[in-house]
Amino acid sequence: MEPLQTTSSIIDFCLAPLNLDSQTEAEREVRRRLEHVIKTFRAKATQPVSVDFSSMPSQVINEAAHGYE
């Protein structure tokens, strides 16, 4: 996987598993907030930032402990 560099590609990758309806106000609000977070982080970073999700360790969620929703 290539590192993601654009704000929209990072957001798209993160939201993809949720399969949200892109026509809803909630989805647009989530995108707006994530875009703000990423842009704020990049503005404060001392060097350009890209995200490489392939090097991120996987997370295992215990659904029995947290619910099956």
Side-chain angles (χ1 to χ4, degrees), residues 16-44:
L18 300 176
N19 198 25
L20 299 174
D21 181 2
S22 63
Q23 304 302 316
T24 65
E25 184 61 34
E27 195 268 352
R28 287 190 290 272
E29 180 65 13
V30 168
R31 285 186 176 277
R32 186 188 69 76
R33 290 179 184 197
L34 287 172
E35 185 175 334
H36 176 73
V37 168
I38 292 168
K39 286 183 176 180
T40 301
F41 177 78
R42 284 185 166 164
K44 294 181 185 281

Side-chain angles (χ1 to χ4, degrees), residues 2-69:
E2 298 273 329
L4 303 173
Q5 296 184 4
T6 66
T7 301
S8 62
S9 64
I10 294 168
I11 293 171
D12 289 344
F13 181 84
C14 291
L15 294 181
L18 300 176
N19 198 25
L20 299 174
D21 181 2
S22 63
Q23 304 302 316
T24 65
E25 184 61 34
E27 195 268 352
R28 287 190 290 272
E29 180 65 13
V30 168
R31 285 186 176 277
R32 186 188 69 76
R33 290 179 184 197
L34 287 172
E35 185 175 334
H36 176 73
V37 168
I38 292 168
K39 286 183 176 180
T40 301
F41 177 78
R42 284 185 166 164
K44 294 181 185 281
T46 58
Q47 58 187 358
V49 177
S50 64
V51 179
D52 184 358
F53 287 101
S54 64
S55 65
M56 188 172 109
S58 61
Q59 298 280 328
V60 177
I61 298 172
N62 181 345
E63 290 184 7
H66 299 284
Y68 291 98
E69 295 179 9

